Structures are given as structure tokens and as C-alpha cells.
Amino acid sequence: MKGQWEVVIGLEIHTQLATVSKIFSGAATAYGAAPNTQACLVDLGYPGTLPVLNREVVRMAAMFGLAVNATIAPRSVFARKNYFYPDLPKGYQISQYELPIVAGGELFIAGDDGAQKRIGITRAHLEEDAGKSIHEGFDRQSGIDLNRAGTPLLEIVSEPDLRSAREAVAYMRKIHSIVRYLGISDGNMQEGSFRCDANVSVRPRGQEKLGTRAELKNLNSFRFVERAINFEIERQIDVLEDGGEVVQETRLYDADRDETRSMRSKEEANDYRYFPDPDLLPVEIDAAWVEELRSALPELPDAKRERFVAQYELKPDDAEILTASRALADYYEAAVSAGSGAPQAVGNWVIGDLTGALNRDGLDIAESKVAAEQLAGLVDRIADNTISGKIAKEVFDAMWAGEGSADEIIAARGLKQITDTSAIEAIVDKVIAANPGQVAEYQAGKDKLIGFFVGQVMKETQGKANPGVVNQMLKAKLAG
Amino acid sequence: MTALHEMTLSGLKAGLDAGEFTSVEIVSALLGRIESLDPQLNAFITVLGEAALADAARADEARARGDAGPLCGLPIVHKDIFCMRDVRTTCGSRMLENFVSPYDATVVERLAGAGAVVLGKTNMDEFAMGSSNETSWFGPVKNPWDPACSPGGSSGGSAAAVAARLAPAATATDTGGSIRQPAALTGTVGIKPTYGRVSRYGMIAFASSLDQAGVITRTAEDSARLLGVMAGFDERDSTSIDHPVPDYVGELDVALDGLRIGIVRQHFDAGLDASCAQAVRDALAELEKRGAVLTEVDLPNLDYCVPTYYVVAPAECSSNLSRFDGVRFGYRAKDPEDLLDLYCRSRGEGFGAEVKRRIMTGTYVLSAGYYDAYYLQAQKVRQLISEDFRRAFADVDLIAGPTTPTPAFRLGDKTDDPITMYLNDIYTIGANLAGLPALSAPCGMVDGLPVGLHLVGPHWSEGRLLAATHQYQQDTAWHEAAPEAFR
């Protein structure tokens, strides 16, 4: 039954721009300050105060527009969105409505069918964030923290081109990656710097007309986006299959219960009475300046991934992972260029042990305890057979613990691989002599026992014998 | 010697410079007058007695040190719409009855920086919404020429204080005529500069795209003196414009020879009181004698000014006044049951009837389904009106006419009929819609009440308006007339 429904999703992503001060005032934007310590008179909406645009947000929005191949409006206009709420000091939010700064962009994701899929970006507009209402701990009253009021946001609105929760997440990840590549947002989802609302509807497959949508509010992790959308799809299909009708409404995702529930219906929706803000002039953008920005754009995730595949001959999936963030890609490239050239091996280490250690310790790549040069040194010692892959893990852990470079650790711990064949031969002979029973079985055709012999030899050498040499020698002698 | 209160700002400046008297003496004299005479007028909401005397003493010290700014020790009053640090700033509303501003408006800061001493904050229509000063929570202001009459509004307190010689100069604001109409009705000079000329920072907003700060004085020269200090770009107001500020005082002596003055035929239509019309015609004849050339100009969309204004201004005010919600500052209703009750009662009890009327009108014209028909349409008409002026100023240097259709009307006469009240601003609103500088100067008396001459110029022509008025004032004495009870 489910197969006859087509899912249609559009996302509105709110990304906080990484400016030092707020969009319309000089107050700081740093996260985590004591309540109401980062709100100046303008943020508090004091009588007589006026907004003054922070030009840096215009640059950031334009950079985003260029990165998604959109048009940067030569003239955009700030508008007031009017509604009452205690954490909205002026009784209106300054946003953009009819003339946003960015219009008509696109990006590409891997679609559900595996092929590249174009997702249209309707628009991206600048606006100020509201403050926060705190409902616990005030004895039936609510507290208001206005530190966040006036924080710059770029709201990025997609076309309804997404067809599953998976595609929605892939799109959101791509936007996340782009804004961080551009350095215009820290993308920190726990702190609310990157969050989204999802418009979800379903329609019978083949039907042109869109179904009635529900808007899911304030989804602040990739996992929640996926779960909330999937829940909502199921809910809407159930309603329709029971002969009901989906109601246009705003729904809130409850992560604890893993469900969405109605917040307000279309009838209860505010009439925001948008009109151009008379306190602010239209934002005029010069075409030459846009070209200057374009030439200063960093290499973006898609281009970098393709280059990694071409230049380092990486597997496409690995290239995708390594280019997910600019910092990770930079680390990878630094490690490759510091070593003597084993790009796939370096990639495996970055994706494997390094990422594992970072996740385990909750660290960001910038905080890695193993520098790119150190990792390069380790990969080089594997490549030149100084150590085995197994010993390398021990060396990596030691590097992570701050014991120095791979060479220093190998020397200090005496981990250098034994490549002297006569030394290995003596141990091989000893192992064969000590295990006549297994020798007989092996020679009777139980090939798998080769592993047992290799293990014995490695045990004797504390893992330092070159496993390739050991293997070859054992096979030759046992066949003898 | 002329009594201190009879002197203009320029006269006081000359006396201070010559050491004839001190700022403390001036301020003491005026505070004494305010104390004894203001009860008849209600022009002040707050009088700054001790603070003003302390400022005056500091100004005298600065002068003795040779450190006198251009307005050092000169007394002024501020319309209570300008935020003044540590001083109650009410905007004429119960909503802000106990609001003490934590900061200075740019206008306040610049005048203080030039050495001016502030005697007090003047009464005004609530949130500058009104043309008679009757919407003030603090009660109406009375016209010094006839206490049964209104001094006009919204800057009625500033105009009455200057006319009654309680202060030689006052700041004021003008959204649709709020400086010029009260100036006309009280026999004072009031100038509303080009939109963007004076910073709006710290001036409590009514309609942001129309509001502009200016001054009310007795002479054009005094207006020039104050405006020169107040004007200029302010980075805290995005709509203030970075345009050089000329030496307004230095340019007052420009002769009127060849000045082309446009007369708008429709200004003299049926709505205008016949005696007022005569006074204005006499003034125009005076200007002609001084060398001005009069020609007729057409403002075809003049009739649409008032309706356009009463869509645009309420729309902006409905949004500007949303911040008065009882949450962070201002009036808060007692014991609210919930959030909605807090909002409804704080605003319901904190705002007066005219403010509510305009908030409702503004909310309506911005609503879904009505926006295009009202707000958008009004913006288009506003463009047409600006275009009318632009065309007219291709042929003339100034446009002259009456400031108001009648002299001061009686308090209570128009309070039940908002439309008639609104029509009192019929000649002044166009300058706000087009962002043009405009001035009203006294040009006659009708039945013991002053009549105003209205001059409008192209953008940035404040200097021309002031010079023309100054020249006019050299040959006429209307600006020297003082109401009997306040000489």
C-alpha cells in the first residue's frame, strides 16, 4: 500500500551566521553567556532605538548564494514580520519577505535511486533571531533570555524536491557542509546554530497536485529530521488510507516520544502583516563586488570530492567522507603531502582510527591529538615495512597519548619489524619443531592451520616479524 | 535692558558672550517663569530645576575657561519624545509615565555637547498622534494667545513654551505637521528639515518614514543656530543621510532677489479661512517687495495627501508601538491572568483612544487581503505626490502658502470628529510624504490669534527656507508679538 504514495518534502533551514556582533546592533553573539548579558538597548527594543545593518551578514549571505549557484539580488529589502511574543522584544521580527538577498539556487545530492539529484533552492533571506523563553524554574511565570535576540540568521528555503527523509537529511548535510566550508556558520546543532523546519506532504503517485502539508518545527539534529519526517509520512498515509484528510498545520516534533503533534492550525496562524521596514534602507549590492566575492570563494565540497577522486585516486565514498568538512579535508591533504605518498592508506587511517579516536574523546579534527605530519610518519613506516599494520595501531595509540612521532615511539618501544630472514627462519623452525601434531594435520590437507603457525611465530616475535615473510616461509617449509 | 525671557537665543548668546549676564541667571529667570506661568498652560511634563541650574553653572565655568561651545549656557526645552538619560521620557503617554530613559537621543546628545542647558521636557500629543495636544495623558496644553484654544499638536508644549517666553527655543518633531501647525497656531517659527537631515536615534518613533526632528523658536536665526548643531549624519540611524551641513546662520543674509516662489492655487480654495488667506497674501507681497518672484504652480495630487498619510502613518505606528507590551518597560497591567491578558490590558490601559484608533487602522491596512488595496496603493500615491513636488521645484525655489486652514481652534472643538482634526494638517502633510524641508513663520493675526506662512523647499534647502524667513523678519514684526499674559 505504502508504495502508491509519493512523499514531497521542502526544508527551511535556519543557519546562524558566524558574525562577532548581532545583525542590527553591536552586542556580542557568543553562545552560553549569562542570561540577558548580551543584549543591548537595540536588542531589547527600547523606545527610540534603531537597527543598523551589520554589513558582514550581507557578505556571508552573498557567499552562500554564490556557492549554490543562485542570483544575488542587486536590491533586497528588509521587512517586518509582526507578531506578539515575550521573547520578541519589538513585537516584530526584522526579516526579508518579497525581495530576499538570494534567489534561485541549486545543489546536488545522491538521490534515493543512487543517481545525482538536483535540489532547487527557492531563496535564502536574512533575518534576526528571537530570544528564548524559559518555562522552568520561575514559579508559574516564564523567564526571558534575550541574548539570542538579534543574532543573524540566514533562512534557506528549498523547493519541494525532496522525496524521502533520507534525501532531506542528505540535502541538509550538504547545506551544513557548504556553510561550514564558507566559514559563514559554525553549524553547531546542539547550540541551535543550524536547525530546520520541514514541510511534509504525501500524494498518490502520479498525481500532479501537491497534498496538504504539515510544517514540522525546529528540528535540530539530522537524526531528528529523519525520524520526525518518517513519523509524519506514516501519520499522513494512515490518515489518508483511513479515508481522512490531512489538515494544514504546524506540528512540533517530540524527540522523547518520537512523534509529532499539532501546535496550531492554519486558522490559528498569525497574519504577520509584513511590510518593508522603514528604519532600514534597501540593501544595494554592486555586481563588481559580487564578482570579487566569487573569485574569493573557497573550493566547495563537491569540487573537492571530485578532485580527491581524481588526484588521490580515492574511492568515491572515501572522498565523500574526507570532504564532509573543510577541516577534515585540509587535515587529510596535509597528511598526504607530509608523507611519501600513500593517499588511500592515509585516507583509511583518517576515516578509521583517527575518526574513531576523535569520536571516542569527543574532539573536533582541529583538536586532534595526532597531527597530520605524525599520521603521515606512521603511514610511511607501514609502507616501508618498518612496522606491520597491527603494530601501527599500537604506535597510533601511543602518538594519541602524546609519546611523540612514529619513529620515536618505534625506537623507544623497540617495535621495529624483524625483516632479517635468518632470524625469522630460526623462529619458524622452532615453531614447526614444537608442534608436530599440527604439522601432520596441515600436511594432511588442513590448510587453515597456516594461521595457527603464523600466530605462533608472531607471538614469539611479539608481533614484530613481517607477516608476509613469515607466511611465505612457513608455507615453503611445511610443504617441504 | 530687555528682560531675559524676552530675548531670543541669539540675543542671549550675545549677552553671555559680552558678559552681561550668566547662564545661571538666565536659567533661574526662566525656571521662575515656568513655575509661575506654566500652570496656566501645562506646556511641561517634566521641569528640570536643579539639574538645569547645575548645567548652567557648569556652562558658566566652561565659558570662563574659554571653553564655550556654540550653544554654551543657552536654555532650551525638549519635546518629551526625545530620550534623555536618567530623565523621565513619557511621549505624552500613560504607557511611559514612569519610563526613565537609560540613554540620550542623538539630538539631546548633540545639543548638550554644544553646551545647551535643558530646562525641561514639553507636553505633546500621545506618541505624537494628534493636532491639538488633547491626546496627551498629561492633559491638553493651552494656547498662550487664548487659553480656551489649542496650541496645535503634536508639539503643542514646545510651541506654547516658546510663544509664552518660558524658553527661547524648543526641539520638536514633525510627522505630518507636528512642528509647523503648532508653530503657526502660536506665532512661532517651526522648521521640519529634510527627511534624514537630523538623526531619529532616541526619538520615540511614530511613523518612521515620516518622522523628522526640528525646532521651534521665535526667529529664523535662532532656528538656524539650533539646526546647525542638530543636523548631520548619525551612524546609529540608517535613514540619516551623510550630506554636508551648511552654515545656516552664515547663510541668513542671502538676499531674496530673484527667488522664485511658487503659489499653489488649490491652497487658496474653499477650505481656507478668508482672513488667513489675506494674511498669507500680504506676506507674499512682502516677499515680492524684497525681490522674490511669485509664480503659480500645480500640485495635482494635493487632495490625496491626507488620505495617503492616514494609511502610511498608522501602518508604521501599528508596528512601531508593538514594543509597548508590558513585558520589558513601560506600563504593565496589574495581576495579569495570562500572557494574553497581560498584553490586552497593558496596552488597553496604557494607550489612549487616538493611539488605539491609529493602531487599529494601521493593523487593518497591513492585513492580508487589504495590504494591496490600502498600504501598497498609498505608497504609490506617495510616489505621485513626491513627483508633483519634484516637477514644481523644476520651476520654483520654494513653495509658499498657509500652514493651516484656520487660526487656533478651541479646545474640545474637534475631539469628537477625527476627520476634521486630521484635515488641519492638509497643507503640511505633503512635505512629510515627500521628505521635504518645510517651515512655518508667523505672518499675521486674525482675531488676536496668529497665522502661519508655510514654506516648502526641495531636499536640503533648509538654508534657503531659513534665509527667506530671516529676510522677511527684517521687514516685519509678527515674530516679535507676544501674548499679553506672557510678556
Side-chain angles (χ1 to χ4, degrees):
Chain A
M1 283 292 268
K2 305 279 189 218
Q4 68 178 356
W5 297 101
E6 185 183 38
V7 175
V8 177
I9 302 164
L11 295 189
E12 293 168 14
I13 295 175
H14 294 83
T15 185
Q16 181 180 321
L17 297 175
T19 52
V20 177
S21 60
K22 292 185 176 177
I23 182 167
F24 299 118
S25 83
T29 53
Y31 180 82
N36 298 310
T37 56
Q38 287 186 168
C40 68
L41 294 176
V42 175
D43 306 323
L44 296 173
Y46 257 62
T49 59
L50 296 169
V52 175
L53 179 63
N54 178 349
R55 300 298 302 187
E56 184 64 359
V57 304
V58 175
R59 187 188 67 83
M60 289 178 166
M63 294 268 284
F64 174 78
L66 292 172
V68 296
N69 198 24
T71 307
I72 312 303
R75 184 171 176 278
S76 64
V77 170
F78 283 103
R80 293 185 184 176
K81 177 180 182 180
N82 295 283
Y83 66 96
F84 285 98
Y85 203 68
D87 62 21
L88 187 71
K90 297 186 294 296
Y92 58 85
Q93 177 194 29
I94 306 177
S95 181
Q96 296 188 306
Y97 187 56
E98 283 182 337
L99 296 169
I101 185 163
V102 170
E106 63 181 8
L107 56 70
F108 294 86
I109 61 166
D112 283 340
D113 58 4
Q116 281 265 300
K117 177 169 178 180
R118 177 188 181 279
I119 307 298
I121 292 171
T122 316
R123 60 185 276 162
H125 65 254
L126 287 164
E127 63 184 23
E128 59 179 345
D129 207 343
K132 268 183 197 158
S133 297
I134 301 156
H135 301 295
E136 281 95 36
F138 290 94
D139 184 29
R140 297 192 307 117
Q141 297 192 319
S142 291
I144 310 289
D145 177 5
L146 294 172
N147 283 352
R148 203 180 65 182
T151 298
L153 297 178
L154 185 66
E155 179 173 332
I156 302 158
V157 182
S158 84
E159 290 288 311
D161 289 345
L162 302 159
R163 291 291 172 271
S164 68
R166 195 207 64 82
E167 286 191 356
V169 171
Y171 165 81
M172 194 175 172
R173 281 190 189 279
K174 184 59 61 99
I175 296 278
H176 189 246
S177 161
I178 289 171
V179 297
R180 291 195 311 150
Y181 260 66
L182 295 171
I184 62 172
S185 175
D186 64 16
N188 189 320
M189 299 175 87
Q190 279 88 44
E191 293 176 3
S193 307
F194 194 84
R195 53 190 198 260
C196 95
D197 302 336
N199 286 301
V200 179
S201 65
V202 298
R203 63 183 168 191
R205 203 166 284 282
Q207 177 182 302
E208 184 99 13
K209 191 170 167 286
L210 290 171
T212 306
R213 70 191 153 88
E215 183 181 12
L216 312 181
K217 284 301 238 194
N218 234 8
L219 307 167
N220 63 355
S221 83
F222 295 121
R223 196 160 54 97
F224 290 168
V225 168
E226 181 153 17
R227 283 165 54 180
I229 291 174
N230 279 332
F231 174 88
E232 184 59 20
I233 292 168
E234 295 292 319
R235 189 190 70 83
Q236 291 187 13
I237 291 174
D238 285 350
V239 168
L240 293 169
E241 291 188 345
D242 287 349
E245 273 182 35
V246 173
V247 193
Q248 185 174 335
E249 62 184 350
T250 301
R251 298 178 70 86
L252 203 62
Y253 177 65
D254 181 337
D256 295 333
R257 296 187 186 177
D258 190 21
E259 64 177 29
T260 65
R261 59 168 182 270
S262 185
M263 210 167 117
R264 59 173 176 258
S265 74
K266 190 185 172 188
E267 286 70 33
E268 297 166 288
N270 280 309
D271 176 356
Y272 291 121
R273 291 172 282 121
Y274 281 100
F275 74 107
D277 191 332
D279 286 332
L280 290 160
L281 302 178
V283 181
E284 311 269 356
I285 295 182
D286 180 48
W289 182 69
V290 172
E291 287 319 304
E292 244 172 74
L293 284 185
R294 195 192 301 277
S295 63
L297 273 186
E299 185 181 31
L300 291 165
D302 286 354
K304 204 183 274 286
R305 187 194 63 231
E306 281 163 33
R307 180 169 64 78
F308 275 22
V309 170
Q311 183 177 342
Y312 304 119
E313 297 176 339
L314 286 173
K315 286 182 264 181
D317 285 355
D318 290 348
E320 176 88 29
I321 295 167
L322 289 169
T323 54
S325 92
R326 196 164 144 185
L328 189 68
D330 287 349
Y331 181 100
Y332 169 76
E333 292 209 276
V336 170
S337 66
S340 45
Q344 184 65 53
V346 172
N348 293 344
W349 274 93
V350 172
I351 293 166
D353 292 68
L354 181 76
T355 301
L358 290 171
N359 289 346
R360 185 190 64 222
D361 290 4
L363 297 177
D364 193 74
I365 185 70
E367 305 162 307
S368 172
K369 294 185 178 174
V370 172
E373 296 70 26
Q374 283 177 288
L375 190 72
L378 176 67
V379 174
D380 281 356
R381 292 298 83 81
I382 304 165
D384 68 10
N385 283 329
T386 305
I387 53 172
S388 65
K390 189 162 176 242
I391 289 291
K393 288 183 188 294
E394 182 186 339
V395 176
F396 178 86
D397 288 343
M399 289 198 299
W400 191 262
E403 290 178 28
S405 71
D407 286 342
E408 286 162 355
I409 293 163
I410 291 164
R413 295 195 174 188
L415 297 176
K416 194 172 184 318
Q417 191 160 255
I418 303 165
T419 43
D420 174 356
T421 40
S422 62
I424 294 173
E425 189 168 11
I427 294 161
V428 166
D429 288 344
K430 191 176 151 200
V431 167
I432 289 173
N435 297 287
Q438 280 83 350
V439 172
E441 279 180 59
Y442 178 85
Q443 286 170 343
K446 203 170 176 187
D447 289 351
K448 274 194 273 179
L449 273 171
I450 189 74
F452 164 79
F453 292 110
V454 172
Q456 291 297 309
V457 174
M458 296 311 271
K459 196 172 158 192
E460 288 283 326
T461 60
Q462 282 136 20
K464 285 184 286 186
N466 182 318
V469 176
V470 172
N471 210 303
Q472 226 173 1
M473 199 176 283
L474 274 167
K475 278 184 179 160
K477 295 218 178 235
L478 288 166
Chain B
M1 195 185 88
T2 318
L4 291 173
H5 69 265
E6 276 291 347
M7 298 175 78
T8 61
L9 209 59
S10 301
L12 290 171
K13 183 177 165 58
L16 284 169
D17 287 346
E20 290 167 17
F21 41 77
T22 64
S23 177
V24 169
E25 286 166 351
I26 301 170
V27 169
S28 303
L30 293 176
L31 287 173
R33 267 181 82 76
I34 293 167
E35 195 182 346
S36 62
L37 298 172
D38 191 52
Q40 300 171 40
L41 298 175
N42 196 28
F44 285 83
I45 291 175
T46 302
V47 177
L48 298 168
E50 283 177 23
L53 282 168
D55 286 348
R58 267 193 293 277
D60 286 333
E61 284 162 29
R63 184 175 292 278
R65 281 199 310 273
D67 186 18
L71 301 174
C72 183
L74 295 175
I76 60 165
V77 293
H78 284 307
K79 183 177 182 179
D80 208 16
I81 199 169
F82 292 102
C83 287
M84 195 169 164
R85 193 187 175 113
D86 298 335
V87 172
R88 186 169 74 132
T89 298
T90 69
C91 224
S93 181
R94 184 187 194 189
M95 185 60 86
L96 293 177
E97 188 170 10
N98 298 306
F99 175 71
V100 175
S101 172
Y103 76 107
D104 276 336
T106 299
V107 162
V108 170
E109 189 181 273
R110 288 190 177 175
L111 289 170
V117 175
V118 181
L119 304 177
K121 308 287 295 289
T122 59
N123 202 345
M124 55 182 284
D125 277 302
E126 185 180 9
F127 284 100
M129 298 176 201
S131 305
S132 68
N133 227 293
E134 292 167 288
T135 72
S136 171
W137 169 249
F138 301 90
V141 178
K142 293 175 182 131
N143 193 321
W145 292 92
D146 178 353
C149 286
S150 161
S154 66
S155 310
S158 285
V162 173
R165 275 64 176 160
L166 304 185
T171 58
T173 61
D174 190 314
T175 305
S178 280
I179 289 176
R180 295 159 287 153
Q181 183 252 19
L185 303 193
T186 59
T188 53
V189 173
I191 181 165
K192 176 203 96 74
T194 305
Y195 184 79
R197 176 76 292 184
V198 177
S199 170
R200 294 187 296 115
Y201 186 77
M203 183 177 123
I204 298 174
F206 159 18
S208 311
S209 75
L210 301 160
D211 295 344
Q212 183 59 201
V215 295
I216 293 176
T217 59
R218 300 213 304 269
T219 64
E221 184 183 352
D222 283 0
S223 280
R225 217 168 271 291
L226 280 192
L227 189 61
V229 171
M230 288 161 62
F233 177 66
D234 177 11
E235 61 179 13
R236 291 173 296 188
D237 173 5
S238 308
T239 62
S240 86
I241 300 172
D242 198 355
H243 186 85
V245 180
D247 176 4
Y248 294 125
V249 177
E251 290 178 6
L252 290 171
D253 290 326
V254 176
L256 297 187
D257 291 323
L259 185 78
R260 299 167 302 167
I261 296 181
I263 312 296
V264 183
R265 190 185 41 77
Q266 298 100 309
H267 280 166
F268 294 88
D269 282 354
L272 180 63
D273 174 89
S275 306
C276 287
Q278 193 52 52
V280 171
R281 286 207 179 88
D282 290 349
L284 293 171
E286 279 295 331
L287 292 167
E288 213 172 7
K289 265 197 274 177
R290 277 224 157 218
V293 181
L294 306 184
T295 49
E296 202 164 276
V297 292
D298 190 24
L299 296 176
N301 294 294
L302 189 72
D303 285 350
Y304 300 115
C305 283
V306 173
T308 301
Y309 176 85
Y310 279 98
V311 172
V312 175
E316 293 182 12
C317 105
S318 72
S319 175
N320 281 335
L321 269 58
S322 293
R323 68 190 61 200
F324 303 104
D325 57 4
V327 174
R328 294 164 312 286
F329 43 73
Y331 182 83
R332 177 186 285 190
K334 295 229 165 12
D335 306 318
E337 280 176 20
D338 54 21
L339 183 60
L340 190 65
D341 188 44
L342 170 75
Y343 284 154
C344 293
R345 284 205 290 118
S346 296
R347 290 168 67 78
E349 295 162 16
F351 289 139
E354 183 62 25
V355 170
K356 286 180 204 165
R357 180 179 358 255
R358 297 200 195 186
I359 290 174
M360 285 191 286
T361 307
T363 302
Y364 179 81
V365 301
L366 289 175
S367 298
Y370 299 100
Y371 180 90
D372 288 1
Y374 292 102
Y375 182 80
L376 212 57
Q377 190 68 10
Q379 292 295 357
K380 288 177 191 165
V381 177
R382 186 177 180 178
Q383 284 301 315
L384 295 178
I385 291 165
S386 300
E387 193 55 29
D388 283 356
F389 278 107
R390 201 191 59 75
R391 258 197 305 273
F393 287 125
D395 299 326
V396 298
D397 302 309
L398 295 178
I399 291 172
T403 309
T404 57
T406 62
F409 49 89
R410 296 179 78 80
L411 289 164
D413 259 12
K414 298 179 195 277
T415 41
D416 294 334
D417 184 359
I419 302 294
T420 314
M421 184 76 89
Y422 295 169
L423 285 171
N424 214 250
D425 294 329
I426 188 162
Y427 307 128
T428 50
I429 278 174
N432 300 83
L433 291 171
L436 302 169
L439 175 155
S440 177
C443 72
M445 299 290 279
V446 170
D447 300 334
L449 292 170
V451 177
L453 171 71
H454 191 227
L455 300 177
V456 185
H459 293 112
W460 313 113
S461 66
E462 290 81 0
R464 194 185 299 163
L465 295 174
L466 290 165
T469 307
H470 181 71
Q471 295 301 309
Y472 174 72
Q473 291 184 336
Q474 300 311 299
D475 293 338
T476 56
W478 300 114
H479 62 286
E480 286 167 5
E484 184 81 41
F486 299 92
R487 282 180 189 148

